[in-house]
Amino acid sequence: MNRREAAWERLDARTVAVSLSWLAGPSIPAAAAVVTLGPGPRTLFPVAGLLIVLAGIAARGLLRHATLRYRITGERIEVRSGLLFRRDRSVPRDRVRAVDLTAGPVHRLLGVTVVRIGTGGQEADLRLDAVSRSQAERLRLLLGRAGGTSADSDLVTARPAWIGYALLSSWTPLIGLAPFGAFFRVLEMFGIEAAGVGFLREVWSGVSRLSWPVAAGMALAIVLAIGFTGALLLHVEVWWRFRLTREADGTYRIRRGLLGTRSLSLQDSRLRGVQLAEPLPLRWGGGARLSALVAGVDPDDDEERTSAALLPPAPRRAALRVAARVLGAPVLAAALRPHPPAALRLRLSRAVWAVAVPAVPLAGLGLWTGRLPDGLWLLAPACLLVALLLSADAYRSLGHGTAGRYLLTRHGALRRRTTALRADAVIGWTVSRSPAQRRRGLMTLAAASSAGTHRVKDVRVGQGLAFAEEVVPGLLRPFVVPRSPGA
Amino acid sequence: MEWELRPPRHSVDRRAIRWWAVQALAWVLPPVLVLGSLAALIAPARSWLLGALLIVALPGAVYALLMPARRYRVHRWEVTEEAVYAASGWLWLKWRVAPMSRIQTVDTVRGPLQQIFSLSGVKVTTASAAGSIKIHGLDRHLAAALVEQLTARAQAVPGDAT
């Protein structure tokens, strides 16, 4: 291929069909609603609104296909797009840090793939939506550093048994409630009173004959059954055929997905560390999730975090093993230094306040009106117990330390996170102290990096400053003095 | 030995106290005025409206009285050969440090209120979304000079800023 004078290329013609598919899906239920409820302003207006929005999305897709041109020369990637607002973007090839191939179900049916080229800078990624599958693969190899060898070594292939961890997803209750929410939203959208729907009235009269514990138990069972099924299906869709490979040039490649597929190629140079997340239910089951800390990716953004996942939810041991292989040393297994008891006291008092502030006025109101149901008195002590237990657990989670060239920090009870961030990725420190922390001689140290901000929470002031000095020698040192005895 | 952070070397401009006070009043006064005039107009709900007024006005007054002077004591800044160091906050305090080699851009930020007091802020951004340092309430000319100085120095120090 003559790279010097590469010709301008267009997106795949099938992109047009993908854009039009936006119109097809939702039109069917909308048409069904019009047919069953009869045409009238109540049905036609929402449907018309929906169609206008979808037509806009489809038109944007058509416009993109008509105007976008791209080419890859020896040195640069160039993308031109836009009709009224022309936009020419040109990125040096050596700035490419990640190539992300995504294909939703419709894309896959039509044999096209969306290519996202990440440059790791502050500028938005380049997006080719969409090109043919073979062209996407060609681009992926072309933009990799070695330019086309594919002697990969497998780091991880997901075990079928790990699917059990899907049941420990924190999303289960939400997924269980979602269909009910959506159902009532649709009723509301078309202006239908829930009491006016025949079978709902029957269900309601049936339920109101039961005693409330039975009814609550049944409701819980139904929600959980839907939640578990949904979480399982979602898990399969997202994590199907998960593979993490390391290609000959050191690029990591992550592939996954059942209906929609996703392939992320990540250059070694963009990796800043890893994060082990243990949401409470998953932790109870001995599981954890592992994701890469990637320059230019915010780890607090749910979608981006999933895209940088190095593992599906898996046994903690497997996650530690993969982390050790990616980082080159068992960094996450290093012992962490505990935080001072003042951090525990801070958490306990916070728990007491969090319960007392709403509970005390409510109890007063209950006494005043004298109309408080008996069982409700138990709610506040129960909440307090849970809050205190979570606080103690949060304190036990706290820890920080170093291992090799990595800084380590761990915190969180409901979602405990252990972070290993490369010390040379730290691009600044923030020390923050709340009034409560100042009373107790504590501070929070935050390490800013292009792969997110990572906190060492509630350390003693001297301990935290010494740690910052240990991680990045000399940066904070000029601004630190021995403590004056009066303070 | 126990260590602690020392305050950065320079304080911000004294006019910043008035700027913060005006800013606080801009938050506190509108709801107070609305509730007050409603209480004057609607006799039947007067006691409730006056109660609400009290709930808004008391913390508002404390905020407007205490915050500006306290901020002036805390907000300080310093630029060395290697780093930018700044302190901010009044109840929740923050000290930020960014090394010169990681600075990407340096801008001035001036809201309409700051302009009235001919004040200006300097915003130092790094590759981290949360890592940017803002120094507010500087004299306009000082801020402009600081931006120039920082831009020159950040370019002189090698590093790819990520």
Side-chain angles (χ1 to χ4, degrees), chain A residues 232-315:
Chain A
L232 214 54
L233 290 176
L234 191 68
H235 184 96
V236 170
E237 155 63 11
V238 172
W239 300 110
W240 184 254
R241 278 172 63 101
F242 180 94
R243 270 167 304 161
L244 170 67
T245 48
R246 186 165 190 166
E247 308 197 333
D249 59 352
T251 305
Y252 290 99
R253 183 163 187 214
I254 301 156
R255 273 168 289 184
R256 59 182 173 80
L258 178 64
L259 297 175
T261 56
R262 187 104 193 221
S263 149
L264 178 69
S265 299
L266 200 68
Q267 286 201 354
D268 204 13
S269 61
R270 214 179 147 206
L271 196 71
R272 295 287 184 272
V274 297
Q275 188 169 65
L276 186 81
E278 299 164 272
L280 200 54
L282 198 56
R283 180 143 58 99
W284 282 336
R289 314 175 54 141
L290 184 73
S291 48
L293 294 178
V294 181
V297 173
D298 182 1
D300 289 329
D301 178 316
D302 258 334
E303 199 202 321
E304 299 222 307
R305 197 180 58 236
T306 310
S307 87
L310 294 173
L311 259 187

XYZ file of all heavy atoms in Angstrom, chain A residues 232-315:
661
model
N -28.329 -11.568 35.002
C -27.687 -12.694 34.321
C -27.610 -12.434 32.818
O -26.564 -12.611 32.187
C -28.498 -13.964 34.604
C -27.733 -15.268 34.736
C -26.635 -15.144 35.766
C -28.693 -16.391 35.116
N -28.741 -11.993 32.243
C -28.771 -11.720 30.797
C -27.783 -10.596 30.450
O -27.027 -10.700 29.490
C -30.186 -11.330 30.363
C -31.206 -12.459 30.388
C -32.593 -11.939 30.036
C -30.784 -13.561 29.418
N -27.802 -9.561 31.265
C -26.910 -8.429 31.021
C -25.454 -8.880 31.084
O -24.626 -8.507 30.265
C -27.168 -7.350 32.079
C -26.508 -6.005 31.834
C -27.132 -5.336 30.631
C -26.656 -5.101 33.050
N -25.174 -9.704 32.086
C -23.818 -10.219 32.266
C -23.366 -10.978 31.023
O -22.266 -10.778 30.524
C -23.796 -11.143 33.486
C -22.443 -11.653 33.831
N -21.650 -11.055 34.772
C -21.723 -12.693 33.359
C -20.508 -11.711 34.863
N -20.529 -12.711 34.012
N -24.267 -11.841 30.535
C -23.915 -12.635 29.357
C -23.689 -11.721 28.156
O -22.721 -11.869 27.412
C -25.027 -13.666 29.064
C -24.798 -14.319 27.720
C -25.063 -14.709 30.166
N -24.567 -10.740 27.999
C -24.439 -9.824 26.848
C -23.120 -9.044 26.900
O -22.424 -8.910 25.908
C -25.652 -8.875 26.818
C -25.452 -7.533 26.129
C -25.136 -7.630 24.638
O -25.275 -8.731 24.093
O -24.731 -6.617 24.058
N -22.780 -8.563 28.101
C -21.589 -7.713 28.204
C -20.303 -8.527 28.170
O -19.336 -8.159 27.510
C -21.650 -6.860 29.487
C -20.332 -6.129 29.707
C -22.789 -5.867 29.398
N -20.287 -9.648 28.888
C -19.013 -10.335 29.131
C -18.803 -11.591 28.303
O -17.828 -12.297 28.509
C -18.889 -10.697 30.610
C -18.941 -9.504 31.494
C -19.956 -9.165 32.331
C -17.947 -8.489 31.634
N -19.668 -8.002 32.977
C -18.437 -7.561 32.567
C -16.694 -8.269 31.047
C -17.716 -6.435 32.929
C -15.993 -7.161 31.420
C -16.502 -6.261 32.345
N -19.715 -11.915 27.396
C -19.621 -13.135 26.609
C -18.285 -13.217 25.883
O -17.849 -12.250 25.272
C -20.788 -13.157 25.597
C -20.880 -14.397 24.790
C -20.558 -14.542 23.474
C -21.349 -15.665 25.229
N -20.779 -15.816 23.077
C -21.269 -16.537 24.132
C -21.824 -16.151 26.464
C -21.654 -17.882 24.217
C -22.207 -17.478 26.548
C -22.120 -18.321 25.436
N -17.645 -14.382 25.954
C -16.357 -14.613 25.276
C -15.326 -13.539 25.622
O -14.656 -12.987 24.746
C -16.565 -14.669 23.771
C -17.043 -16.033 23.287
C -17.414 -15.967 21.840
N -16.232 -15.633 21.044
C -15.526 -16.530 20.360
N -15.876 -17.789 20.375
N -14.487 -16.178 19.668
N -15.194 -13.240 26.906
C -14.205 -12.237 27.319
C -12.792 -12.792 27.136
O -12.492 -13.889 27.577
C -14.419 -11.848 28.784
C -13.432 -10.824 29.259
C -13.746 -9.492 29.208
C -12.178 -11.193 29.728
C -12.830 -8.533 29.620
C -11.257 -10.255 30.134
C -11.598 -8.916 30.083
N -11.962 -12.038 26.478
C -10.563 -12.429 26.343
C -9.664 -11.214 26.521
O -9.937 -10.157 25.962
C -10.293 -13.033 24.952
C -10.487 -14.543 24.914
C -10.514 -15.011 23.482
N -11.547 -14.299 22.747
C -11.590 -14.216 21.423
N -10.656 -14.780 20.698
N -12.564 -13.572 20.826
N -8.633 -11.379 27.304
C -7.619 -10.326 27.435
C -6.327 -10.897 26.866
O -5.835 -11.912 27.343
C -7.432 -9.949 28.906
C -6.259 -9.042 29.223
C -6.451 -7.667 28.628
C -6.070 -8.925 30.728
N -5.812 -10.264 25.827
C -4.585 -10.768 25.230
C -3.555 -9.661 25.187
O -3.896 -8.487 25.231
C -4.817 -11.262 23.780
O -5.549 -10.262 23.086
C -5.593 -12.553 23.763
N -2.314 -10.084 25.122
C -1.243 -9.108 24.980
C -0.585 -9.389 23.643
O -0.103 -10.479 23.401
C -0.248 -9.288 26.112
C 0.780 -8.222 26.073
C 1.543 -8.144 27.349
N 2.340 -6.934 27.291
C 2.924 -6.406 28.333
N 2.793 -6.964 29.500
N 3.631 -5.321 28.203
N -0.594 -8.384 22.779
C -0.074 -8.600 21.448
C 1.433 -8.401 21.435
O 2.017 -7.922 22.412
C -0.784 -7.663 20.473
C -2.281 -7.808 20.645
C -3.094 -7.264 19.501
O -2.607 -6.343 18.827
O -4.200 -7.771 19.298
N 2.039 -8.786 20.330
C 3.501 -8.832 20.260
C 4.142 -7.475 20.583
O 5.199 -7.410 21.178
C 3.932 -9.291 18.872
N 3.466 -6.382 20.229
C 4.070 -5.069 20.454
C 3.755 -4.508 21.837
O 4.006 -3.344 22.109
C 3.588 -4.087 19.380
C 2.071 -3.956 19.395
O 1.439 -4.734 20.131
O 1.531 -3.094 18.690
N 3.173 -5.337 22.702
C 2.893 -4.875 24.058
C 1.517 -4.251 24.203
O 1.160 -3.792 25.279
N 0.747 -4.220 23.130
C -0.603 -3.665 23.211
C -1.529 -4.681 23.866
O -1.480 -5.865 23.542
C -1.128 -3.351 21.797
O -0.190 -2.508 21.160
C -2.481 -2.679 21.855
N -2.350 -4.187 24.804
C -3.352 -5.076 25.388
C -4.588 -5.060 24.509
O -4.971 -4.014 23.985
C -3.732 -4.623 26.789
C -2.626 -4.824 27.776
C -1.800 -3.779 28.135
C -2.404 -6.081 28.317
C -0.765 -3.966 29.022
C -1.366 -6.281 29.205
C -0.556 -5.224 29.554
O 0.468 -5.427 30.420
N -5.230 -6.235 24.366
C -6.464 -6.261 23.596
C -7.532 -6.951 24.421
O -7.333 -8.041 24.931
C -6.258 -7.001 22.284
C -7.504 -6.957 21.462
C -7.245 -7.304 20.019
N -8.477 -7.063 19.275
C -8.858 -7.784 18.250
N -8.113 -8.776 17.820
N -9.990 -7.496 17.647
N -8.675 -6.267 24.549
C -9.780 -6.795 25.342
C -10.946 -7.002 24.396
O -11.357 -6.084 23.689
C -10.171 -5.786 26.441
C -8.985 -5.511 27.355
C -11.363 -6.286 27.232
C -9.060 -4.187 28.064
N -11.481 -8.229 24.356
C -12.612 -8.510 23.474
C -13.751 -9.109 24.280
O -13.525 -9.939 25.151
C -12.206 -9.509 22.394
C -11.596 -8.845 21.188
C -10.964 -9.857 20.297
N -9.747 -10.401 20.907
C -8.943 -11.270 20.302
N -9.248 -11.700 19.108
N -7.866 -11.702 20.904
N -14.963 -8.678 24.010
C -16.103 -9.230 24.735
C -17.400 -8.887 24.030
O -17.414 -8.064 23.120
C -16.143 -8.684 26.162
C -16.241 -7.184 26.203
C -16.223 -6.674 27.621
N -16.157 -5.240 27.670
C -17.201 -4.431 27.509
N -18.395 -4.937 27.284
N -17.055 -3.129 27.554
N -18.493 -9.525 24.489
C -19.819 -9.159 23.992
C -20.511 -10.271 23.250
O -19.885 -11.070 22.563
N -21.837 -10.352 23.401
C -22.620 -11.393 22.729
C -23.315 -10.788 21.508
O -22.957 -11.059 20.383
C -23.641 -11.989 23.701
C -24.559 -13.058 23.143
C -23.770 -14.279 22.727
C -25.615 -13.447 24.164
N -24.318 -9.936 21.740
C -25.037 -9.326 20.623
C -24.243 -8.132 20.099
O -24.001 -8.003 18.917
C -26.429 -8.877 21.079
C -27.334 -10.007 21.525
C -28.645 -9.450 22.061
C -27.602 -10.957 20.378
N -23.843 -7.256 21.010
C -22.955 -6.168 20.629
C -21.555 -6.583 21.015
O -21.339 -7.094 22.104
N -20.575 -6.377 20.154
C -19.218 -6.780 20.513
C -18.357 -5.548 20.717
O -18.636 -4.496 20.197
C -18.565 -7.623 19.399
O -18.599 -6.860 18.205
C -19.277 -8.925 19.225
N -17.320 -5.754 21.487
C -16.464 -4.652 21.809
C -15.039 -5.154 21.786
O -14.755 -6.218 22.322
C -16.818 -4.183 23.222
C -16.136 -2.947 23.629
C -17.106 -1.808 23.572
N -16.359 -0.568 23.682
C -16.765 0.460 24.402
N -17.906 0.398 25.047
N -16.041 1.543 24.452
N -14.161 -4.418 21.172
C -12.754 -4.787 21.183
C -11.958 -3.523 21.451
O -12.131 -2.529 20.777
C -12.354 -5.378 19.833
O -11.006 -5.074 19.563
N -11.150 -3.554 22.497
C -10.369 -2.379 22.848
C -8.894 -2.737 22.766
O -8.454 -3.687 23.388
C -10.724 -1.905 24.254
C -9.954 -0.697 24.771
C -10.343 0.550 24.018
C -10.212 -0.496 26.255
N -8.149 -1.992 21.970
C -6.698 -2.173 21.930
C -6.080 -1.013 22.668
O -6.353 0.136 22.373
C -6.194 -2.192 20.494
O -6.783 -3.248 19.807
N -5.249 -1.346 23.625
C -4.775 -0.352 24.560
C -3.265 -0.396 24.595
O -2.688 -1.431 24.873
C -5.327 -0.754 25.926
C -5.398 0.288 26.979
C -6.447 1.306 26.573
C -5.826 -0.383 28.273
N -2.628 0.737 24.290
C -1.175 0.688 24.298
C -0.639 0.714 25.718
O -1.137 1.427 26.568
C -0.621 1.845 23.492
C -0.819 1.595 22.027
C 0.108 2.412 21.172
O 0.847 3.256 21.673
N 0.082 2.152 19.898
N 0.391 -0.084 25.883
C 1.058 -0.215 27.168
C 1.399 1.151 27.756
O 1.240 1.400 28.954
C 2.349 -0.993 26.925
C 2.819 -1.684 28.175
O 2.006 -1.751 29.115
O 3.964 -2.135 28.203
N 1.806 2.082 26.895
C 2.275 3.391 27.361
C 1.149 4.216 27.976
O 1.398 5.212 28.623
C 2.867 4.167 26.194
O 1.876 4.374 25.212
N -0.093 3.793 27.755
C -1.208 4.577 28.260
C -1.696 4.042 29.608
O -2.535 4.640 30.256
C -2.333 4.514 27.236
C -3.117 5.778 27.173
C -4.186 5.651 26.141
N -5.352 6.403 26.538
C -6.573 6.126 26.148
N -6.811 5.111 25.362
N -7.573 6.861 26.545
N -1.170 2.897 29.990
C -1.596 2.263 31.234
C -0.947 2.968 32.426
O 0.262 3.157 32.463
C -1.179 0.795 31.195
C -1.838 -0.129 32.190
C -3.288 -0.341 31.809
C -1.103 -1.451 32.216
N -1.769 3.371 33.413
C -1.233 4.094 34.563
C -1.357 3.297 35.860
O -0.902 3.733 36.899
C -1.972 5.414 34.746
C -1.793 6.397 33.622
C -0.396 6.995 33.655
N -0.235 8.008 32.635
C 0.145 7.753 31.400
N 0.405 6.520 31.034
N 0.264 8.725 30.521
N -2.038 2.149 35.782
C -2.214 1.343 36.978
C -3.462 0.503 36.852
O -4.024 0.380 35.755
N -3.895 -0.083 37.972
C -5.128 -0.875 37.950
C -5.962 -0.533 39.179
O -5.471 0.040 40.152
C -4.854 -2.400 37.950
C -4.112 -2.813 36.708
C -4.120 -2.813 39.202
N -7.228 -0.875 39.099
C -8.111 -0.672 40.235
C -8.941 -1.933 40.463
O -9.542 -2.464 39.543
C -9.038 0.513 39.970
C -9.845 0.898 41.194
C -10.555 2.222 40.987
O -11.428 2.339 40.149
N -10.183 3.228 41.754
N -8.936 -2.384 41.709
C -9.712 -3.561 42.092
C -10.947 -3.052 42.827
O -10.828 -2.365 43.836
C -8.874 -4.429 43.019
C -9.455 -5.782 43.419
C -9.216 -6.797 42.333
C -8.825 -6.263 44.719
N -12.120 -3.346 42.292
C -13.346 -2.878 42.932
C -14.094 -4.057 43.517
O -14.252 -5.088 42.871
C -14.223 -2.155 41.914
N -14.519 -3.904 44.795
C -15.271 -4.971 45.457
C -16.559 -4.408 46.036
O -16.604 -4.048 47.212
C -14.435 -5.582 46.577
C -13.141 -6.208 46.131
C -12.204 -6.438 47.303
O -11.441 -5.527 47.642
O -12.279 -7.529 47.892
N -17.610 -4.292 45.222
C -18.898 -3.878 45.779
C -19.332 -4.908 46.832
O -18.977 -6.088 46.713
C -19.842 -3.907 44.575
C -18.960 -3.956 43.373
C -17.687 -4.594 43.794
N -20.071 -4.447 47.834
C -20.359 -5.300 48.993
C -20.887 -6.705 48.640
O -20.342 -7.692 49.126
C -21.304 -4.561 49.939
C -21.320 -5.086 51.371
C -19.927 -5.125 51.951
C -22.211 -4.207 52.232
N -21.931 -6.827 47.808
C -22.427 -8.180 47.523
C -21.353 -9.052 46.878
O -21.194 -10.232 47.229
C -23.583 -7.952 46.540
C -23.848 -6.509 46.503
C -22.701 -5.788 47.121
N -20.581 -8.455 45.976
C -19.537 -9.212 45.300
C -18.457 -9.629 46.301
O -17.942 -10.745 46.266
C -18.935 -8.337 44.198
C -18.147 -9.027 43.097
C -18.980 -10.100 42.421
C -17.660 -8.024 42.071
N -18.150 -8.739 47.232
C -17.141 -9.027 48.249
C -17.586 -10.190 49.130
O -16.794 -11.050 49.493
C -16.908 -7.769 49.088
C -15.898 -7.904 50.187
C -15.083 -6.629 50.357
N -15.875 -5.447 50.645
C -16.045 -4.950 51.871
N -15.483 -5.534 52.908
N -16.754 -3.864 52.051
N -18.883 -10.221 49.474
C -19.405 -11.335 50.275
C -19.208 -12.662 49.555
O -19.007 -13.687 50.169
C -20.890 -11.119 50.573
C -21.122 -10.131 51.664
C -20.246 -9.798 52.656
C -22.296 -9.359 51.897
N -20.801 -8.852 53.482
C -22.063 -8.576 53.038
C -23.527 -9.251 51.246
C -23.011 -7.700 53.550
C -24.466 -8.378 51.747
C -24.207 -7.606 52.885
N -19.294 -12.604 48.217
C -19.118 -13.826 47.437
C -17.663 -14.090 47.083
O -17.387 -14.977 46.284
N -16.735 -13.311 47.654
C -15.318 -13.527 47.384
C -14.901 -13.083 45.993
O -13.893 -13.528 45.464
N -15.699 -12.193 45.385
C -15.391 -11.772 44.025
C -14.886 -10.348 43.973
O -14.900 -9.621 44.958
N -14.425 -9.943 42.799
C -13.927 -8.587 42.591
C -13.942 -8.285 41.105
O -14.087 -9.185 40.280
C -12.506 -8.456 43.139
N -13.862 -6.995 40.810
C -13.720 -6.590 39.415
C -12.388 -5.890 39.287
O -11.942 -5.231 40.210
C -14.830 -5.629 38.996
C -16.180 -6.063 39.427
C -17.214 -5.011 39.094
N -17.149 -4.682 37.685
C -18.231 -4.463 36.951
N -19.419 -4.534 37.494
N -18.115 -4.165 35.694
N -11.778 -6.030 38.119
C -10.477 -5.415 37.917
C -10.537 -4.564 36.659
O -11.007 -5.021 35.628
C -9.409 -6.498 37.761
C -7.981 -5.992 37.649
C -7.497 -5.496 38.995
C -7.071 -7.098 37.150
N -10.100 -3.308 36.767
C -10.053 -2.504 35.550
C -8.723 -1.778 35.465
O -8.030 -1.600 36.462
C -11.223 -1.521 35.499
O -11.336 -0.843 36.716
N -8.397 -1.382 34.264
C -7.139 -0.689 34.024
C -7.355 0.792 34.276
O -8.418 1.318 33.996
C -6.689 -0.920 32.587
N -6.354 1.456 34.818
C -6.371 2.915 34.891
C -5.658 3.399 33.637
O -4.485 3.106 33.426
C -5.651 3.416 36.137
C -6.310 3.059 37.461
C -5.465 3.577 38.609
C -7.710 3.619 37.531
N -6.409 4.101 32.806
C -5.914 4.463 31.493
C -5.850 5.975 31.375
O -6.802 6.661 31.761
C -6.852 3.896 30.412
C -6.337 4.237 29.032
C -7.009 2.403 30.584
N -4.754 6.503 30.858
C -4.630 7.951 30.693
C -5.765 8.458 29.817
O -6.054 7.891 28.765
C -3.285 8.282 30.051
N -6.445 9.486 30.275
C -7.537 10.058 29.509
C -8.883 9.417 29.766
O -9.874 9.793 29.167
N -8.940 8.419 30.652
C -10.208 7.771 30.971
C -10.534 8.018 32.438
O -9.711 7.767 33.312
C -10.148 6.255 30.707
C -11.412 5.581 31.203
C -9.968 5.995 29.227
N -11.712 8.546 32.696
C -12.116 8.815 34.065
C -12.656 7.531 34.703
O -13.665 7.008 34.251
C -13.207 9.888 34.060
C -13.639 10.255 35.456
O -13.071 9.694 36.409
O -14.530 11.105 35.579
N -11.989 7.014 35.747
C -12.452 5.748 36.323
C -13.774 5.890 37.068
O -14.377 4.889 37.443
C -11.314 5.356 37.268
C -10.630 6.621 37.585
C -10.809 7.538 36.422
N -14.253 7.119 37.293
C -15.531 7.275 37.974
C -16.697 7.274 36.990
O -17.846 7.324 37.388
C -15.545 8.568 38.799
C -14.625 8.439 40.005
O -14.499 7.298 40.501
O -14.027 9.427 40.427
N -16.375 7.208 35.707
C -17.423 7.125 34.696
C -17.716 5.644 34.441
O -16.844 4.894 34.035
C -16.921 7.804 33.422
C -17.921 7.731 32.284
O -18.515 6.665 32.057
O -18.090 8.748 31.621
N -18.966 5.244 34.703
C -19.303 3.821 34.695
C -19.008 3.155 33.355
O -18.427 2.076 33.304
C -20.785 3.629 35.033
C -20.951 3.178 36.474
O -19.996 2.567 36.986
O -21.999 3.433 37.055
N -19.429 3.821 32.261
C -19.291 3.174 30.964
C -17.820 3.032 30.597
O -17.387 1.989 30.119
C -20.034 3.981 29.914
C -20.316 3.157 28.669
C -20.552 4.037 27.467
O -21.199 5.066 27.634
O -20.058 3.672 26.387
N -17.068 4.111 30.837
C -15.662 4.071 30.476
C -14.920 3.035 31.295
O -14.032 2.365 30.813
C -15.039 5.451 30.700
C -15.698 6.512 29.850
C -14.692 7.452 29.248
O -13.898 7.982 30.014
O -14.719 7.640 28.023
N -15.346 2.907 32.580
C -14.679 1.940 33.434
C -14.897 0.538 32.894
O -13.996 -0.270 32.848
C -15.179 2.062 34.865
C -14.262 1.385 35.854
C -14.761 1.516 37.262
N -16.075 0.964 37.403
C -17.107 1.632 37.872
N -16.963 2.865 38.258
N -18.285 1.075 37.953
N -16.150 0.250 32.478
C -16.436 -1.075 31.949
C -15.585 -1.339 30.713
O -15.099 -2.443 30.517
C -17.923 -1.198 31.597
O -18.668 -0.753 32.708
C -18.296 -2.619 31.282
N -15.378 -0.276 29.900
C -14.638 -0.512 28.670
C -13.174 -0.812 28.971
O -12.506 -1.454 28.192
C -14.768 0.682 27.735
O -13.781 1.630 28.027
N -12.680 -0.357 30.119
C -11.288 -0.631 30.467
C -11.170 -1.830 31.404
O -10.141 -2.018 32.020
C -10.660 0.599 31.107
N -12.233 -2.625 31.516
C -12.208 -3.768 32.431
C -11.184 -4.793 31.965
O -11.120 -5.120 30.788
C -13.588 -4.410 32.497
N -10.391 -5.271 32.896
C -9.402 -6.293 32.566
C -9.947 -7.682 32.842
O -9.320 -8.677 32.509
C -8.129 -6.079 33.384
C -7.355 -4.799 33.061
C -6.217 -4.611 34.033
C -6.835 -4.846 31.637
N -11.136 -7.729 33.456
C -11.738 -9.011 33.831
C -13.233 -8.799 34.005
O -13.647 -7.725 34.430
C -11.204 -9.457 35.203
C -10.125 -10.491 35.345
C -9.943 -10.820 36.813
C -10.458 -11.743 34.581
N -14.035 -9.826 33.734
C -15.428 -9.750 34.202
C -15.418 -9.942 35.717
O -14.376 -10.249 36.273
C -16.106 -10.926 33.496
C -15.023 -11.784 32.977
C -13.745 -11.030 32.984
N -16.536 -9.733 36.410
C -16.547 -10.051 37.834
C -16.019 -11.479 38.028
O -16.493 -12.390 37.365
C -18.021 -9.948 38.205
C -18.577 -8.976 37.228
C -17.819 -9.194 35.955
N -15.010 -11.637 38.880
C -14.293 -12.907 38.969
C -13.849 -13.123 40.403
O -13.917 -12.211 41.223
C -13.086 -12.869 38.042
N -13.370 -14.340 40.731
C -12.849 -14.552 42.087
C -11.708 -13.572 42.358
O -10.937 -13.256 41.457
C -12.317 -15.978 42.056
C -12.962 -16.610 40.891
C -13.285 -15.540 39.913
